[in-house]
Amino acid sequence: MSFLNSLINGHEGGLKTDGLTPTQKVTLRAVIIGVLYYGLSALEGMMMRAHAITPLPMLDNSHYFSVMTVHPIVGIFGSTYLIVFGAFTFLVPYLMKKPLYSIKLANATWILIAIGALMAWLGGFIFHYAPLYTLYWPLPVDFSQFNAVGGLVFITGVALIMIGTLGFIYNIFATVFYTEEGHEKRPFKPLLISALGIDGMLNILYKMTGREPYAKEPAVSLPVVAIFRGTIDTFLDALVILTCGILILVYIIGDLSGASMDYTSVNALLYKNFFWWGLDLIADGLVLIYIAGSWYLLAMLITGKKLFMQNIARAALLLELIVSWAVWSHHLLADQGQYNMMKLVSGEMVTAFELVTQGIAIFITLVTLWSARPLKMSNELKFLLGGILGFMLAVPAGIIQADMGLNRILHNTQWVAGPHFHVAILVGLTMTLYSAIYILWPTLTNGVKLYSQKMASYHFWAHLIGGIGMGAFMGMAAMDGMLRRTLYLEGEYQTYMILAGICGLLLLSAWVVFLLNVLMSIGLKGLLGIFKKSKLQTKDLVPQEA
């Protein structure tokens, strides 16, 4: 009876949604939908893991590759984007001590992205549209192989995601620069200089030349600087992916209307460079910059201390922003048509700088935590350390293959899928996001107590072991020659795939336990109440104390 009561009403009374502000509600909506999309992505991953062990009768080749296509779309855009955007929608105004620019736009953002991810998923699930997430030209417009209607549904979904993303970007930039009603107008120039982190570099320069600091108190806090810079990459990425989507839509509509166009009109190599320049901004710009900023914020919130080497951190974020614009060619190291000079400079030399920028972020975060010892090993601290470990494993794994020689051996194997981007996303990125969720939980729920600490501990260990284990066993299969995007139906790598599948089940179980823990904490009534209109007509981020 107690279990049923907690499930319906929540732990110790659950979540009182009547006391939530509009900003709290819109943040929780985005995060909840993002966590649900993570579960869908995990289920898709387990389908492919199971099929790699023993081919499933209900999963033919076309369906398998359509799952492989929508899997990263659901995981990156449907889940990660919504969780990140939801958290930053709250954190930017919270850190700047001002209201969010537009609650309506924030609601439109998560709705557009959620609908877009669903449409992209349906394009694969129903129509088996499977040009893989890279959308290499002319694969997306190969209508002898793929259904044009499926392409229309899929690409329209991606376009909606990008439009929602542009809405988030506008909301963040507007929140940083606008002056709220009743306050003295903030000058634009100092805000822009600080948001770009230029003041940090000037402080370092001034100190080296024996002058007073350029800015003793920066106009924008360090985490907001990271969010602002990451959002610049998000903007560029959205424009590129939206442009490619519109191009593909033109060809799809032309085919459906009986006016098919010649795909050779588009230069495939130029398209790949343009596409990867934009798409890589997600991984090497948006993720690394956002994550560095999240680590800095989490370290400050956990320790209650200022960040170690703040000016260096600001300067490193600016360096990462510039580096992120020039590293895309490491995706084309194995492409015979790509110019060798671009491979050498962009693919190898500039990419290697990501070890430096990410290393600085890890060092600063760990020293900040170390300076505040002893610390309680809270949920947020455990997941923060897990996220740092994930990137300490995944970034070097990526740098290893950013070499023209090694890339020929590794690029088309499970090494890329396992030790590199699955560990980066599942361990590095996702565990950092979970840390943010746990630390923001009391603020967003007005102090709702977590149902079970044991479930939270299981969530941590199962996710950490599952994520690292799955990446490791996929990497071992790669060393034995297992290619990615390739079906092996004779059990050639079965032992590795069984072990990777067990680790995948750990990941899935961690998500189920986390979801149940959240549900038992807030209750079904609280969950439904989050999606109802707020009764507090206020611009305040959290309710004012009585």
Side-chain angles (χ1 to χ4, degrees):
M1 192 67 180
S2 176
F3 177 86
L4 187 60
N5 181 61
S6 294
L7 181 62
I8 296 172
N9 298 308
H11 182 54
E12 296 185 4
L15 178 63
K16 308 299 182 187
T17 56
D18 287 352
L20 295 177
T21 66
T23 308
Q24 285 175 311
K25 282 201 170 190
V26 74
T27 299
L28 288 169
R29 289 166 190 165
V31 172
I32 287 169
I33 299 300
V35 169
L36 291 176
Y37 267 122
Y38 172 85
L40 175 58
S41 181
L43 286 169
E44 289 174 339
M46 282 311 302
M47 284 176 62
M48 290 187 285
R49 294 263 70 82
H51 197 71
I53 297 168
T54 302
L56 304 175
M58 76 288 290
L59 200 63
D60 59 23
N61 287 2
S62 66
H63 194 188
Y64 177 85
F65 286 108
S66 68
V67 172
M68 187 178 285
T69 296
V70 300
H71 178 60
I73 299 295
V74 171
I76 295 170
F77 297 119
S79 176
T80 302
Y81 263 38
L82 281 177
I83 295 173
V84 169
F85 291 177
F88 290 167
T89 294
F90 182 82
L91 281 172
V92 169
Y94 184 76
L95 293 168
M96 296 197 72
K97 297 179 174 59
K98 62 195 297 191
L100 182 69
Y101 179 73
S102 173
I103 294 292
K104 288 182 178 179
L105 186 55
N107 272 306
T109 291
W110 77 259
I111 291 171
L112 282 168
I113 294 175
I115 293 173
L118 179 61
M119 288 186 68
W121 181 80
L122 288 173
F125 182 76
I126 296 175
F127 299 101
H128 294 187
Y129 185 67
L132 303 182
Y133 69 94
T134 48
L135 301 180
Y136 268 9
W137 195 264
L139 203 57
V141 295
D142 182 0
F143 303 119
S144 64
Q145 193 176 172
F146 305 119
N147 189 313
V149 175
L152 181 64
V153 175
F154 180 89
I155 298 298
T156 301
V158 172
L160 288 177
I161 292 169
M162 293 305 117
I163 293 170
T165 300
L166 291 174
F168 162 78
I169 293 163
Y170 183 84
N171 217 2
I172 291 297
F173 285 171
T175 301
V176 170
F177 292 118
Y178 93 102
T179 300
E180 59 272 38
E181 189 177 341
H183 287 70
E184 185 179 347
K185 186 171 178 62
R186 293 184 175 94
F188 177 79
K189 184 179 176 181
L191 280 172
L192 180 62
I193 289 175
S194 187
L196 289 171
I198 296 172
D199 52 0
M201 296 193 74
L202 290 174
N203 280 343
I204 295 171
L205 180 62
Y206 280 28
K207 186 175 182 179
M208 291 172 63
T209 55
R211 288 182 284 175
E212 288 293 315
Y214 172 80
K216 291 183 179 180
E217 290 296 331
V220 177
S221 66
L222 184 57
V224 176
V225 172
I227 294 169
F228 186 88
R229 288 185 188 164
T231 304
I232 293 172
D233 275 356
T234 312
F235 173 69
L236 295 172
D237 163 69
L239 288 183
V240 170
I241 304 302
L242 189 59
T243 301
C244 292
I246 292 170
L247 174 65
I248 294 168
L249 278 176
V250 169
Y251 274 79
I252 290 172
I253 294 170
D255 184 81
L256 291 173
S257 63
S260 299
M261 290 174 280
D262 183 7
Y263 68 82
T264 60
S265 300
V266 177
N267 183 288
L269 182 61
L270 179 62
Y271 174 93
K272 279 192 285 188
N273 274 276
F274 178 70
F275 181 84
W276 268 120
W277 182 74
L279 191 63
D280 193 71
L281 291 173
I282 294 177
D284 297 280
L286 183 159
V287 170
L288 295 184
I289 297 173
Y290 275 170
I291 286 299
S294 298
W295 288 347
Y296 296 155
L297 175 60
L298 289 165
M300 289 189 289
L301 292 176
I302 290 169
T303 63
K305 299 184 69 172
K306 286 187 176 182
L307 195 74
F308 179 68
M309 296 197 320
Q310 284 216 26
N311 287 325
I312 299 294
R314 288 173 181 268
L317 284 170
L318 183 57
L319 176 62
E320 177 60 55
L321 181 69
I322 297 168
V323 167
S324 71
W325 294 343
V327 298
W328 81 94
S329 200
H330 60 236
H331 292 278
L332 300 171
L333 288 176
D335 197 301
Q336 297 299 304
Q338 185 73 342
Y339 295 106
N340 284 332
M341 188 56 68
M342 292 181 71
K343 292 180 182 181
L344 178 64
V345 176
S346 170
E348 289 189 349
M349 297 171 66
V350 181
T351 299
F353 269 95
E354 294 192 333
L355 272 178
V356 177
T357 53
Q358 201 67 5
I360 290 172
I362 290 170
F363 176 75
I364 289 173
T365 304
L366 291 178
V367 172
T368 303
L369 294 172
W370 179 259
S371 67
R373 67 192 189 282
L375 289 170
K376 180 184 176 182
M377 194 56 74
S378 59
N379 294 323
E380 48 268 27
L381 179 56
K382 287 190 290 188
F383 276 93
L384 171 59
L385 293 174
I388 291 173
L389 175 60
F391 276 106
M392 288 174 70
L393 294 171
V395 172
I399 297 297
I400 285 171
Q401 70 203 31
D403 171 88
M404 280 189 273
L406 285 172
N407 192 270
R408 293 293 182 95
I409 301 168
L410 295 174
H411 189 76
N412 198 39
T413 71
Q414 291 287 340
W415 178 273
V416 176
H420 181 40
F421 66 71
H422 268 92
V423 172
I425 293 172
L426 289 174
V427 184
L429 174 60
T430 305
M431 293 195 81
T432 301
L433 293 180
Y434 278 133
S435 177
I437 290 172
Y438 277 113
I439 204 167
L440 288 175
W441 173 269
T443 304
L444 290 174
T445 63
N446 295 335
V448 170
K449 290 184 179 179
L450 205 60
Y451 175 72
S452 171
Q453 180 54 43
K454 289 183 178 179
M455 293 173 77
S457 294
Y458 177 86
H459 176 216
F460 169 75
W461 287 111
H463 192 101
L464 181 68
I465 295 170
I468 293 176
M470 190 171 76
F473 291 122
M474 290 169 73
M476 292 175 195
M479 294 299 97
D480 278 356
M482 186 177 183
L483 302 178
R484 60 184 177 132
R485 299 173 182 159
T486 303
L487 272 173
Y488 293 91
L489 304 178
E490 305 299 326
E492 294 91 334
Y493 301 94
Q494 194 171 53
T495 301
Y496 290 129
M497 292 302 98
I498 289 172
L499 293 170
I502 292 170
C503 292
L505 283 174
L506 270 177
L507 281 166
L508 185 60
S509 69
W511 172 76
V512 171
V513 169
F514 169 73
L515 198 64
L516 182 60
N517 203 10
V518 168
L519 191 57
M520 296 294 287
S521 300
I522 65 175
L524 282 170
K525 288 183 178 178
L527 177 64
L528 296 174
I530 289 170
F531 291 89
K532 295 179 181 177
K533 187 177 180 180
S534 176
K535 292 185 177 181
L536 301 179
Q537 300 303 313
T538 177
K539 290 185 177 180
D540 293 334
L541 303 179
V542 294
Q544 292 184 353
E545 294 183 7

